[in-house]
Amino acid sequence: MTTAEDFQNGQILLIDKPLHWTSFQAVNKMKWALKSKLGLKKIKIGHAGTLDPLATGLLLVCTGKFTKRITELQGQAKEYTGTFYIGATTPSYDLETEIDETFPTEHIDDALIHQTVKQFLGEIDQKPPIFSAIKKDGVRLYEHARAGETVEIAFRKTTIHEFEITRIALPEIDFRVVCSKGTYIRSLAFDFGKAMDSGSHLTVLRRTKIGDYDVAKAMDVTLFEDSIAPDQASE
């Protein structure tokens, strides 16, 4: 059984983040659970890589002394699965905003889809979505977007190690991607549609791996509190 001292010395906890939760909410709930169940007044806790509220999957949460490993963990390759919706775009590149433009899809077949995948393998230039937490002039991009402001966003280098199409049922395409830190799968969805002379946005996203850590071994954050045994010494 993991003790209060164990959590202070350092743990890496594999959490399966539910849909509509922010990463901050998940960590906050865990922090509250650790304090209330173990009688801890203070506990360091943080996650190694944000997941959007509309994404589910693996969140690595570090406690105690292991919070020093967050930067190292963030740098590891990540695997995602999900769904692109072909033929339409949204300002946020996902379902956070409504469809703003539609495009033809009659010319798209399996061969074109698989051929387009090859364009995105290796190091690529990618522009982050306007609806993201990156700061521009001290203000987060999504704040500029919600204020209706147009800002210039610079391209960033990112690496797609693996890109596999797992299902084609147009207008939906399922995929699996292994990528470097800083890759936006929403931007990949947008760029993928554009590369096929159409449009696309992300409708489903799940992070399945970070380095060797697998979501198959993760715990639903809502069950975390029940997994902690109360500290007998603090009662």
Side-chain angles (χ1 to χ4, degrees):
M1 189 63 67
T2 312
T3 65
E5 186 178 7
D6 291 331
F7 284 112
Q8 295 282 25
N9 285 335
Q11 297 286 311
I12 297 177
L13 306 169
L14 279 62
I15 297 298
D16 190 346
K17 188 192 80 66
L19 189 65
H20 301 307
W21 281 55
T22 66
S23 300
F24 177 79
Q25 284 174 321
V27 171
N28 228 26
K29 182 175 179 63
M30 294 172 70
K31 187 173 186 177
W32 178 86
L34 287 169
K35 284 184 171 182
S36 61
K37 293 290 283 284
L38 299 178
L40 295 170
K41 291 183 179 180
K42 289 178 67 177
I43 177 72
K44 286 184 178 180
I45 186 168
H47 65 76
T50 303
L51 273 177
D52 289 336
L54 293 179
T56 66
L58 185 60
L59 200 63
L60 292 184
V61 179
C62 300
T63 72
K65 296 176 182 177
F66 278 18
T67 53
K68 294 177 181 178
R69 296 185 58 186
I70 285 176
T71 302
E72 165 209 334
L73 294 168
Q74 284 177 329
Q76 298 190 16
K78 298 171 178 66
E79 180 186 81
Y80 296 90
T81 61
T83 304
F84 298 154
Y85 185 97
I86 307 299
T89 56
T90 71
S92 61
Y93 301 171
D94 66 3
L95 294 177
E96 183 182 342
T97 52
E98 298 293 323
I99 289 172
D100 62 350
E101 199 170 355
T102 57
F103 300 83
T105 59
E106 294 81 6
H107 64 288
I108 297 174
D109 57 17
D110 290 15
L112 177 60
I113 291 167
H114 288 293
Q115 189 63 35
T116 303
V117 164
K118 298 175 184 177
Q119 298 180 31
F120 294 92
L121 287 168
E123 186 177 76
I124 62 171
D125 289 318
Q126 187 182 76
K127 188 177 287 189
I130 183 64
F131 280 82
S132 63
I134 294 171
K135 287 187 177 181
K136 172 82 171 179
D137 302 325
V139 179
R140 298 196 183 279
L141 287 181
Y142 64 75
E143 294 178 31
H144 285 294
R146 288 169 184 164
E149 299 167 356
T150 302
V151 295
E152 191 63 35
I153 305 172
F155 282 96
R156 296 180 166 198
K157 295 286 185 186
T158 188
T159 302
I160 307 296
H161 302 292
E162 299 177 36
F163 187 1
E164 176 189 4
I165 302 300
T166 56
R167 180 183 71 105
I168 298 174
L170 291 174
E172 293 185 341
I173 296 175
D174 289 353
F175 64 88
R176 183 186 69 87
V177 166
V178 179
C179 56
S180 64
K181 173 188 176 183
T183 302
Y184 280 91
I185 306 299
R186 286 183 286 147
S187 292
L188 182 62
F190 179 85
D191 293 340
F192 191 79
K194 190 175 180 181
M196 294 194 297
D197 292 322
S198 185
S200 175
H201 62 281
L202 186 68
T203 56
V204 177
L205 184 64
R206 182 164 176 78
R207 185 157 68 197
T208 47
K209 291 182 182 178
I210 299 176
D212 292 329
Y213 298 99
D214 195 315
V215 74
K217 297 180 180 178
M219 175 187 297
D220 189 307
V221 68
T222 59
L223 303 177
F224 177 70
E225 183 181 354
D226 293 336
S227 74
I228 306 169
D231 189 347
Q232 304 297 321
S234 65
E235 294 182 349

